Amino acid sequence: MKNKKKFGIVDRDVIQDPSLSTTSKAVYSCLATFANSKRTCFPSITTIAELLGVNRRTVERAIKELSEKNYVHKNGNLFTIK
């Protein structure tokens, strides 16, 4: 079986936003690795926290920050990223 590389496309505006925390940029990047061609995904908060080595509350705060800046929209378990 061939080892298939996975990657995510991160919006430059997110990376270059000086008002956005480093943690929020990492959470956005993590979401991007799960996103499909429609820029939607549904990883759990626990999965994101485990992948980034942070606690759930840290991820929740980052998602709130990203949502306030309209980089991420969360609807139930579904995320839509810019």
Side-chain angles (χ1 to χ4, degrees):
M1 187 161 113
K2 201 174 190 182
N3 186 6
K4 188 175 180 181
K5 303 249 182 208
K6 301 213 178 203
F7 62 93
I9 298 173
V10 178
D11 191 294
R12 183 179 295 170
D13 291 342
V14 174
I15 297 301
Q16 293 181 345
D17 186 339
S19 68
L20 201 58
S21 71
T22 302
T23 301
S24 292
K25 292 175 184 184
V27 168
Y28 180 93
S29 298
C30 186
L31 288 171
T33 66
F34 286 97
N36 62 22
S37 62
K38 295 180 182 178
R39 306 294 283 163
T40 61
C41 57
F42 48 91
S44 70
I45 300 296
T46 301
T47 297
I48 296 167
E50 288 174 357
L51 288 171
L52 297 178
V54 298
N55 65 47
R56 287 178 46 88
R57 184 68 187 119
T58 300
V59 174
E60 290 166 352
R61 282 192 301 267
I63 289 169
K64 181 179 180 197
E65 182 180 6
L66 290 163
S67 294
E68 288 172 352
K69 295 181 175 285
N70 293 315
Y71 292 130
V72 170
H73 176 72
K74 186 172 188 289
N75 185 6
N77 292 331
L78 179 70
F79 294 95
T80 303
I81 64 173
K82 177 180 176 183

